Amino acid sequence: MIEQQVAIPLPSGHRMRARWLKPETVNPHRAGIIAIRDIFGYTDDIERIGRRLAANGYPVLVPDLYDLPGSKPLCVVKTLKAHETGKGEAFEQLEASRQWLLEQTETPVTQVGVMGFCMGGRFAVLFASRAPVQVVAPFYGGIPKNADDLRGICPAVGGWGRTDVIYGSHGDRLASHLEILGVPHDIKSYDNVGHSFMNNHQTFVFKKLGALPPLRSRYDEAAAEDSWQRVLAFFDKVFSGALQATPTAAG
């Protein structure tokens, strides 16, 4: 596996930092993944997740959504605002990432998937509802109340933890929306599991305080491994053409 930092050109002229992971053996579907990290920013944990995807043959791009012109606190505020409103530069950053992934020539990519966690999970769902990506894998992110807000979304695979007081019901909400929209999906909500169960941050705040209510954030190996198996199997079905991967037009 080859890992390197790259710069993604944005419409503003700014060049956003991103991590580029190239597997030794590439999947036969010429598919690449954009991995969107959680609220903690670019951490060792999102690199761990990127390496897991790359180890399964997927070229992976991990954009730093906090890398915008201006001070770091202001960049964080802009990103969080875009997360809540569904509008803003973060979506330009994701689209620039998608275009870069398709245009780079080191590891040819013709299909794109998006995977996101917590804040990144919501970004992944919203982006997949408006961009021509083939599959989305959101985990424990906030889901809009109305199914019409996701019209145009591609096939989805993801997971939530039911003991998460804030977002624990959003997996069921997403599954319901996808049923209404007629979109293939594998969305699972895990009992006795909280928020961030696929993230394994090695920080004091996450390990000692994260498990407290209301989110009850804690890495859960069983739920994480089950999720990985579901994600990889679903990705293979979509990218191989076994599931309809082309999103319907937004209306």
Side-chain angles (χ1 to χ4, degrees):
M1 184 187 309
I2 299 175
E3 301 180 38
Q4 63 188 88
Q5 183 167 297
V6 295
I8 310 298
L10 302 179
S12 65
H14 181 70
R15 297 178 69 83
M16 173 183 64
R17 291 185 301 270
R19 200 69 178 167
W20 175 224
L21 297 87
K22 296 177 288 184
E24 294 180 7
T25 303
V26 180
N27 70 90
H29 311 308
R30 296 165 69 99
I33 308 297
I34 300 169
I36 313 174
R37 76 292 185 284
D38 59 20
I39 197 170
F40 293 112
Y42 196 97
T43 64
D44 291 341
D45 190 61
I46 194 63
E47 283 205 11
R48 174 187 65 86
I49 289 168
R51 291 189 188 107
R52 180 77 177 258
L53 289 165
N56 283 275
Y58 292 103
V60 182
L61 186 67
V62 187
D64 181 359
L65 298 188
Y66 290 161
D67 184 7
L68 290 167
S71 67
K72 183 64 174 288
L74 180 59
C75 294
V76 173
V77 169
K78 285 183 177 180
T79 303
L80 295 179
K81 182 178 180 181
H83 171 265
E84 294 303 314
T85 64
K87 302 175 182 179
E89 290 179 83
F91 295 97
E92 295 180 359
Q93 291 170 287
L94 291 173
E95 176 58 19
S97 298
R98 187 188 71 84
Q99 292 180 10
W100 186 93
L101 193 55
L102 291 170
E103 292 170 2
Q104 56 78 34
T105 57
E106 297 176 355
T107 306
V109 168
T110 58
Q111 301 188 84
V112 176
V114 183
M115 189 175 189
F117 305 87
C118 182
M119 178 183 78
R122 179 174 170 86
F123 272 129
V125 166
L126 295 178
F127 183 65
S129 301
R130 63 190 71 176
V133 297
Q134 280 62 58
V135 65
V136 61
F139 283 87
Y140 32 84
I143 301 299
K145 292 182 179 179
N146 299 316
D148 277 347
D149 290 337
L150 301 185
R151 192 169 297 278
I153 195 170
C154 54
V157 55
W160 274 255
R162 291 196 185 278
T163 64
D164 174 353
V165 176
I166 297 178
Y167 297 112
S169 64
H170 286 224
D172 292 335
R173 177 186 291 178
L174 177 58
S176 176
H177 289 351
L178 296 172
E179 288 287 343
I180 292 171
L181 297 171
V183 176
H185 62 277
D186 176 4
I187 305 298
K188 185 173 181 177
S189 294
Y190 295 90
D191 295 329
N192 303 315
V193 173
H195 197 74
S196 295
F197 62 82
M198 287 191 75
N199 296 108
N200 195 12
H201 294 291
Q202 299 299 309
T203 64
F204 174 84
V205 172
F206 184 81
K207 294 179 76 69
K208 299 298 183 182
L209 303 180
L212 298 175
L215 293 176
R216 297 187 171 94
S217 300
R218 176 180 289 171
Y219 175 70
D220 187 284
E221 184 176 5
E225 287 304 313
D226 182 70
S227 295
W228 272 115
Q229 296 306 312
R230 292 190 303 106
V231 165
L232 294 171
F234 197 86
F235 279 8
D236 188 64
K237 288 180 181 179
V238 171
F239 290 133
S240 68
L243 283 179
Q244 178 63 42
T246 304
T248 57

